[in-house]
Amino acid sequence: MGSSNPAQAAAPARRWDTRRQEKRRRLDAVRHLADGAVLPADRLAEALESLVVSGDRVVLEGNNQKQADFLARALVRVDPERVNRLHMIMPSVSLPEHLDLFERGIASKLDFAYAGAQSLRISQFLQDGTLQVGALHTYIELYARLYVDLAPNVVMVAGYKADRAGNLYTGPSTEDTPALVEAAAFRDGIVIAQVNQIVDDPQDLPRVDVPGSWIDFVVQSDKPFYIEPLFTRDPRLVKPVHVLMAMMAIRGVYERHQVQSLNHGIGFNTAAIELLLPTYGARLGLKNKICRNWTLNPHPTLIPAIESGWVESVYCFGAELGMEAYTAARPDIFFTGRDGSMRSNRAFCQLAGQYAVDLFIGSTLQMDGLGNSSTVTHGRLTGFGGAPNMGHDPHGRRHATPAWLDLVDGGTDGGGIDPLARGKKLVVQMVETFQDGTAPTIVESLDAVEVGKASGMPLAPIMIYGDDVTHVLTEEGIAYLYKARSLEERKAMLAAVAGVTPIGLRHDPAATARLRRDGLVALPEDIGVQRAEATRSLLAAKSIGELVDWSGGLYQPPAKFRSW
Amino acid sequence: MGSSNPAQAAAPARRWDTRRQEKRRRLDAVRHLADGAVLPADRLAEALESLVVSGDRVVLEGNNQKQADFLARALVRVDPERVNRLHMIMPSVSLPEHLDLFERGIASKLDFAYAGAQSLRISQFLQDGTLQVGALHTYIELYARLYVDLAPNVVMVAGYKADRAGNLYTGPSTEDTPALVEAAAFRDGIVIAQVNQIVDDPQDLPRVDVPGSWIDFVVQSDKPFYIEPLFTRDPRLVKPVHVLMAMMAIRGVYERHQVQSLNHGIGFNTAAIELLLPTYGARLGLKNKICRNWTLNPHPTLIPAIESGWVESVYCFGAELGMEAYTAARPDIFFTGRDGSMRSNRAFCQLAGQYAVDLFIGSTLQMDGLGNSSTVTHGRLTGFGGAPNMGHDPHGRRHATPAWLDLVDGGTDGGGIDPLARGKKLVVQMVETFQDGTAPTIVESLDAVEVGKASGMPLAPIMIYGDDVTHVLTEEGIAYLYKARSLEERKAMLAAVAGVTPIGLRHDPAATARLRRDGLVALPEDIGVQRAEATRSLLAAKSIGELVDWSGGLYQPPAKFRSW
């Protein structure tokens, strides 16, 4: 038996359950307000004044779509004299209340991954000193830090239903909820869930998405939680140039590299690809050969491809408003629970989108001559959500697929493969050379560089780094950047498809012929794409109404998309 | 309203719930055997003959530690005439039964992430044609593919307890279970859990780790599931050379780069670092300055650092046999549930280890002159588990920490940072130049290259690629590879610390002076490490018995480690 260590004997007795004791203290403080695990809606702010303590790290769900808005409104109402200096951790800063917390002096620090409508106000608050930014994260690194150095004291989430023991049914918009809850439930944090309905009989819960033993309190909200239809693209707004680019993507990327599994961004370009599969793609004989397994939200524009039998599976980050009945009626395609409704899971879909798919294709607001891109522009600190995670080659991947192998150091055509070489995930940036015909997309220097400096960030907020981009696709052509043999060649390739932007104009037209001959750049005619064919008539659906038709009436678009 | 699409009208009526109907058919076929969700242990093989169908994709848990061994033994007993051609998907191939499935003709294809004791037999079966390997994955890409193109028909897992509705308590070894179950539960797969005990009253479940609505059947096993103590390193086997290398790691890597959050491999080198923090580290004044947040299994050798107040948090991939009472008694440090016992989660810990920590440090069996490494050697197809994921720089990361920023293209010392530069995760390979004093660790060419060819793999099974390695640390010194300005310089740096291996002997000794002067290589004396001090007396605990003492008797080592 070893000797007792002197260091240990000398140490003062230490408590090892301070978090647990503090949690118990807070729970005891609201016990008179609660009926077991059920908090009364009309005394929620009062309860929060005991459950949340100044200086706490507080996770507020703030997702890409689903919002714990009732809890946000209650938190804004606590007395800032009593609760202040909160460190808010939010996947998405989406509602005015999220920033009212700072204006009212309740919160002072913010870690987040995405801010859409609130991005302008964040920048202002940052300048005014009203708000301090911890860091801009991607979704999964934000979740990851909850388990490392940002352990939350309180986590507030939203679901459809709960029973009185706290068992939670999230509905199709499971999204970030399990990842956020687990971090607090297993580190003596407090978990509070708002739900649209509390059921008395546990049997009335359709299914359990998060067990009651992980959740401390549930509260029935005054109205259903807010959810934003972020992934609905009206086919009426798909332009012929999008059709042309979609044709090029299908022929010059998907067909060429045999892309089986993929993730699409939310732009009109990628919506056009989805709408072209059952028409242009079918004519090329590509059905069941490409685009079988998807990781993306239930895009309404994917309905025609699904109904035409193109799609084997769709695994979702989140849900999409109006797609509930459709996804429930297609369980062979979508992930659904025993109750029949969809389950999404952003943490796992991020894993899937990084480690299990051949291709990511997305768009950006600005790209520089090396392929670095960002959606951060002057005055707006938007963050990137999951784009940087989808838009890079995960070096931890070890399994091979045909598309991944096809990108081994210039491809496998030219003889044997270096055994120490690796395949690559396809990261495709699909951009029109100009935004709305006026501002160039491809620029000398990203606004993000200046925004980063002005905001005091250690590095510029780059969304996707150029060295992670394998293809750039514009209305001019495709630059196969993964084949570039030098930085200079990479620049020349990108310039060759940059049109009449400043970057494009600097390009030597004579060089394009060589780049095309070497297979480094392809114009539409090089890959058999007829520009004249690029019309809206190729779209499998030309309006939201036609998407509804394709779905057999199962897709129920939100009011703002109902124009017929 | 858009017009109805002709394509749709022409299509034959398609069923969209074939998976659900097939699942129902199978459940109905065993209903006479089951008591609700409870399968009888003595008729389990009979039930599996109805629940599993030839050609199915079957996930069998097969983890790094916890094994669904009772289910494995039952599956081996099914009639191969009736159930065959199974495609087994297993995080870890650990038990003889896992490969008996192939020998008996029940299974034919294998996707896996790690094989320890069974690696030799896998190689034999592969040569004999008894077994076909889908791919060698890392853990998280294996999970990820379950949600994309490897949707399982049946998932078999293990837990401590379940109630009769299938609610599952995993105990501290939650590990891969939630990630595996979710993939089937939400895609109309069948989920079967073996448990050590079925409780009649749901109140007798300590907590719920996986909700009953995700699980179809539970069965009480004949004996508790098998679990392997993989992460226990006996301090008696820590040699003075490990102490020297640990001193160098603490001074030349942890202190230099201000490493706050980290992941350790399981070697004696890293165990030595853990055991040196309360002694050598404390003397350097580094307590509360480095090594605060950890992502790793509950290593017994971390106990002295925890008890000395070095550690703020430990988030675990899995559990470790004997550490149950200790982790439960330290809830401020470890993640525990409302019941008080630990919860691990390999999927989330892999996320945390990639996206939220400053440093990974590990070891390998072979490394080449460029820093490529592999544990695959002749005749053994081991796989890599999670090492490639921990051992790379995730390009999707966007938040900064001091250590991460310190590795921006040569560090920040020399003036301003290029705003388009990125920080780097520290990936440290810590190897003795020779294995057991005879076989060189640093070699001309990895065995893995030949194994890859012999096994017909598209690429060699490299564990960690050289270009992902930022530091190589040997008993000779540290090569700061991230500072290399060329491939040649990188080679020279590595050779400078490669001792008397063939790679090391080729090195020009005169070059070392320049590399040391430029800060590219450091010998112990360059970083203030006294070789004479490197003795076992620096270890905070010198035996398992002393670890037990440090823990106040809470650590209960398995019998094989009890030698006092």
Side-chain angles (χ1 to χ4, degrees), chain A residues 2 141 355 399 422 467 549, chain B residues 2 141 354 399 422 467 549:
Chain A
E141 64 188 296
Y355 278 101
H399 79 275
R422 310 188 236 197
D467 55 9
D549 289 347
Chain B
E141 65 189 297
Q354 283 178 88
H399 78 275
R422 310 189 237 197
D467 55 7
D549 289 347

Side-chain angles (χ1 to χ4, degrees), chain A residues 2 28-29 76 120 138 162 170 195 216 249 274 277 280 289 305 321 359 371 398 406 486 489 551:
Chain A
D28 286 345
V76 168
L120 195 59
T138 60
T170 60
V195 292
D216 297 297
E274 294 156 18
L277 291 177
Y280 185 69
K289 295 192 179 147
L321 210 58
L359 167 140
R398 289 297 178 270
D406 204 38
S486 69
E489 190 165 69
S551 77

